Amino acid sequence: MIFGNLRNSSLVLGLGYNNDQEICSQLDHMQQQKKKPSLKYDHLIPCLTLGLPEETSQSDIKIDHDMHRQPSPLSPVSSFSNSSIKKERESVCGEELDAERVFSRVCDDDEEGASPRKKLRLTKGQSATLEDSFKEYNTLSPKQKHALAERLNLKPRQVEVWFQNRRARTKMKQTEVDCELLRKCRQNLTEENKRLQKELQELKSLKLAGPLHMQLPKATLTMCPSCQKVAGDRRR
DNA sequence: ACAGTCAATGGGTCCA
DNA sequence: TGGACCCATTGACTGT
């Protein structure tokens, strides 16, 4: 740090995040890979601090930030085997007639283990209905699940899986939004930090160069980081 | 050919 | 202990 040895320096600025480096590297990696983030940074927000020069590293920031926690899940009982999903239904509801086609290729063979996993695609109608339900409740009670499954001619397990995947997608989108917000925040704070450091340097050189009577008494000059104004001058 | 999407799977955790 | 959920991953399919 540049000003580490200056005496009487009451103004020193710091900028950082909790686990700043780790987050950034992970975010970069995430963006490169276009992969969903696995980092847990919900509790982190950027912060600008004032203190001694040596103390303005990442270590002096610690703020908890608990955002967008999922609502507590409903937990009634339901019992379904997921082993039968591979054996798909033979026919689909009316939407089957939809030109959009129903499944890419439903497997005909019901032999256990022998059939490779086939990709099922939900119809537009099914997806829309599921989407509508998701807007109302992002978790389903077993009753709702059954009703929806029956209505869509799907297995309850499929509805359940769809909701799980949908929640994951929502979470990922939110994470990306938060990520972008943090980046911008960090950028702003970095610029702010630079600006204030520069200002501080100027004030110090003024103090050293200027005549004695021009010197400001210690502790009368404090920089408010939020409003960016010099405050605390109680003379007069 | 390759990347992206998404239904499905398997493992881990939590809780009644 | 079983069921519900989350999470990471797989694999079929699609779009370029």
Side-chain angles (χ1 to χ4, degrees):
Chain A
M1 193 58 94
I2 309 167
F3 312 114
N5 294 326
L6 284 175
R7 295 179 64 223
N8 294 335
S9 305
S10 57
L11 283 176
V12 174
L13 299 156
L15 166 69
Y17 294 90
N18 214 356
N19 290 327
D20 191 27
Q21 275 189 329
E22 189 186 350
I23 290 168
C24 288
S25 65
Q26 288 195 47
L27 293 183
D28 288 341
H29 184 256
M30 189 181 93
Q31 281 209 335
Q32 281 166 14
Q33 305 272 321
K34 275 260 175 185
K35 270 202 152 188
K36 59 188 159 192
S38 59
L39 65 163
K40 311 283 185 193
Y41 65 93
D42 305 35
H43 333 287
L44 307 164
I45 62 168
C47 177
L48 190 62
T49 61
L50 283 170
L52 290 173
E54 286 85 356
E55 294 168 347
T56 53
S57 59
Q58 296 121 336
S59 60
D60 44 354
I61 296 106
K62 206 147 265 168
I63 297 175
D64 265 8
H65 191 220
D66 200 349
M67 291 169 65
H68 62 275
R69 280 257 162 271
Q70 295 281 345
S72 60
L74 305 169
S75 53
V77 182
S78 173
S79 60
F80 288 99
S81 156
N82 60 5
S83 61
S84 59
I85 295 300
K86 283 175 189 166
K87 308 176 196 171
E88 281 314 324
R89 64 189 193 279
E90 295 141 14
S91 65
V92 190
C93 57
E95 288 157 339
E96 174 179 41
L97 303 173
D98 192 350
E100 293 297 325
R101 121 271 110 213
V102 180
F103 299 111
S104 313
R105 214 164 299 148
V106 179
C107 54
D108 312 323
D109 46 347
D110 275 359
E111 280 168 299
E112 291 167 23
S115 61
R117 192 160 89 182
K118 298 287 182 186
K119 176 80 172 182
L120 277 84
R121 301 289 288 196
L122 302 174
T123 64
K124 277 185 181 176
Q126 284 171 325
S127 295
T129 306
L130 287 165
E131 201 65 54
D132 286 345
S133 306
F134 186 78
K135 276 176 196 163
E136 270 195 85
Y137 319 94
N138 63 1
T139 53
L140 290 176
S141 68
K143 223 177 181 180
Q144 290 172 311
K145 195 199 301 175
H146 271 93
L148 200 53
E150 199 167 337
R151 185 173 153 201
L152 297 173
N153 209 1
L154 292 172
K155 295 195 160 139
R157 170 66 183 162
Q158 285 177 294
V159 173
E160 186 182 306
V161 165
W162 187 92
F163 268 75
Q164 275 174 16
N165 287 323
R166 186 65 181 76
R167 282 193 291 269
R169 265 175 261 144
T170 302
K171 191 176 179 183
M172 191 167 132
K173 269 190 181 171
Q174 185 57 51
T175 302
E176 280 169 4
V177 168
D178 293 345
C179 217
E180 191 52 37
L181 200 72
L182 281 172
R183 278 185 184 281
K184 281 181 180 160
C185 233
R186 177 191 157 91
Q187 195 181 342
N188 288 342
L189 288 172
T190 304
E191 283 163 15
E192 173 72 355
N193 191 33
K194 272 185 197 165
R195 190 185 68 75
L196 290 173
Q197 291 280 12
K198 194 181 164 193
E199 206 171 311
L200 179 66
Q201 175 77 304
E202 285 168 7
L203 285 171
K204 279 176 182 166
S205 55
L206 204 72
K207 183 181 172 184
L208 289 174
L212 260 168
H213 67 274
M214 291 285 288
Q215 289 184 18
L216 291 167
K218 192 179 169 185
T220 59
L221 185 62
T222 53
M223 184 68 74
C224 172
S226 55
C227 65
Q228 304 176 9
K229 283 180 184 166
V230 174
D233 189 348
R234 286 183 296 265
R235 289 173 300 173
R236 185 189 301 263

